[in-house]
Amino acid sequence: MSIQAIRILGIDPGLRNTGWGVVDTLGSRLSFVACGSVHSDGKLTLADRLRQLHEQLAEVIHAHQPDECAVEETFVNKDARATLKLGHARGIALLAPAQAGLSVAEYAPNLVKKTIVGAGHAEKDQIHMMVRVLLPRCDPQSADAADALAVALTHAQHRGARALEAAVLARAR
């Protein structure tokens, strides 16, 4: 019996730049597949910018054929307007993989940091360094791509626990 790797797409949502990263996991072994960012044109209407993000994420999903997806939850800041716009982009980050039939997990930023670095309040530089340690072949060209790889790695680490929790809840019903 052959065990197949699970391909995970991690997404770090943003209205201007949405990072994406793809990793394969087989047991505890992790392999870098690809990463990058999709972008929207700030001169367009919000609806057109969201359409751009959706189309580009759909292309990433089609090109890399992930089995599962993980999206970082929105970090709420003092600027309610900016948080709302980020929420719209995050909605696209949830919608595109769901439309492709993928299960989508969500992770809080502090959990991503704690999983990757070991501290929930790690700096971005620490996260990016650890992503490169965990995936030596990766070379993210943007902070958004590195963050998306961190989200994918977090899902790889926690997906077994999530599956067990879902099974226990299903039995309880």
Side-chain angles (χ1 to χ4, degrees):
M1 182 165 108
S2 173
I3 299 174
Q4 289 201 332
I6 301 296
R7 180 158 287 180
I8 300 169
L9 169 64
I11 301 176
D12 178 40
L15 186 56
R16 278 191 204 108
N17 304 303
T18 290
W20 60 270
V22 180
V23 299
D24 283 344
T25 180
L26 182 59
S28 62
R29 189 169 154 238
L30 298 165
S31 302
F32 170 73
V33 176
C35 67
S37 298
V38 298
H39 313 282
S40 72
D41 182 346
K43 296 175 186 168
L44 298 178
T45 66
L46 177 60
D48 284 333
R49 292 177 76 184
L50 295 173
R51 178 189 46 76
Q52 284 182 321
L53 294 176
H54 183 271
E55 289 171 352
Q56 292 173 59
L57 281 175
E59 288 174 16
V60 169
I61 292 165
H62 179 74
H64 296 287
Q65 297 293 305
D67 300 303
E68 299 175 6
C69 182
V71 177
E72 188 170 62
E73 292 178 352
T74 302
F75 179 81
V76 179
N77 59 36
K78 294 176 185 171
D79 183 355
R81 188 176 172 111
T83 301
L84 184 58
K85 286 182 180 178
L86 177 58
H88 291 311
R90 191 168 169 282
I92 296 301
L94 295 168
L95 175 64
Q99 281 184 321
L102 302 176
S103 64
V104 182
E106 301 174 67
Y107 294 96
N110 283 349
L111 179 60
V112 174
K113 293 174 183 179
K114 187 167 185 155
T115 301
I116 301 304
V117 178
H121 297 286
E123 298 294 323
K124 283 208 177 267
D125 290 346
Q126 292 173 296
I127 295 166
H128 299 170
M129 182 201 62
M130 283 305 298
V131 165
R132 286 185 182 100
V133 167
L134 295 168
L135 299 170
R137 293 184 336 152
C138 80
D139 184 22
Q141 299 299 305
S142 70
D144 303 306
D147 289 346
L149 285 170
V151 173
L153 291 168
T154 298
H155 184 64
Q157 180 70 31
H158 292 278
R159 67 184 292 279
R162 291 175 81 85
L164 181 60
E165 181 181 313
V168 168
L169 288 173
R171 274 193 221 130
R173 292 183 187 156

